[in-house]
Amino acid sequence: MTRLLITAINKTPRDDRYEHIQRFGGIDMDTNLPWEAPFDEAIAMAKSPHVHFFVHSTKSLLSPPISVGLYLSNYGNLCLRSDPNGVEADNLLSLPELSSRNMLSGLMNSSSRPTGFGIIEGERNKLARLALADALKKR
């Protein structure tokens, strides 16, 4: 199963409750590479039994992971949301705006990451930078 940590989102306007999140991004915990997906692709991925989305509290990566799954909005649309647990800091809208800087800070600043997340070194570090640079060129 592919485990995808969501670390940032794009939503414009941010406070409009009628507009959905346009993009999701974060770290693939199996490869330690950044990933990014538009809304429709993220919904399709969430439907797959082979993909598991999750978030951590914006206050601490040491917090337990919170699953992100599909739900049906009041308007009948499929959306992604973190499992309700009463903690606002792990809601998707609490995540920072998606940018190459947000994704790189999670990848390259290994000193602030807890053990168990895997640290990219040597060739894998180069591969991560190349993948991110390629993704940015496609924008």
Side-chain angles (χ1 to χ4, degrees):
M1 174 176 285
T2 302
R3 299 171 306 128
L4 299 176
L5 172 63
I6 300 173
T7 59
I9 61 164
N10 282 134
K11 182 177 185 296
T12 308
R14 189 73 170 203
D15 59 352
D16 185 343
R17 60 183 284 182
Y18 301 105
E19 292 296 322
H20 60 75
I21 295 170
Q22 287 97 11
R23 294 190 77 73
F24 300 85
I27 307 298
D28 181 327
M29 300 309 291
D30 300 319
T31 64
N32 286 325
L33 294 174
W35 68 273
E36 188 176 331
F39 174 81
D40 292 337
E41 186 178 323
I43 294 295
M45 293 164 68
K47 290 179 181 179
S48 166
H50 305 291
V51 176
H52 178 246
F53 288 112
F54 67 99
V55 294
H56 280 282
S57 168
T58 55
K59 295 182 182 195
S60 172
L61 280 177
L62 298 176
S63 65
I66 304 299
S67 290
V68 172
L70 291 170
Y71 85 100
L72 199 58
S73 75
N74 293 336
Y75 302 101
N77 301 314
L78 276 178
C79 299
L80 289 176
R81 77 167 179 193
S82 59
D83 288 348
N85 65 351
V87 178
E88 192 170 322
D90 61 26
N91 292 345
L92 291 174
L93 293 178
S94 296
L95 296 173
E97 193 66 18
L98 180 62
S99 70
S100 59
R101 182 176 180 183
N102 287 345
M103 292 178 70
L104 276 176
S105 67
L107 269 175
M108 304 305 171
N109 187 4
S110 60
S111 63
S112 66
R113 295 172 63 197
T115 58
F117 275 68
I119 298 173
I120 297 174
E121 297 175 358
E123 292 302 312
R124 293 183 78 184
N125 195 357
K126 289 178 193 174
L127 182 59
R129 285 195 301 260
L130 290 172
L132 182 60
D134 187 48
L136 292 173
K137 285 180 191 175
K138 293 178 182 176
R139 285 188 179 186

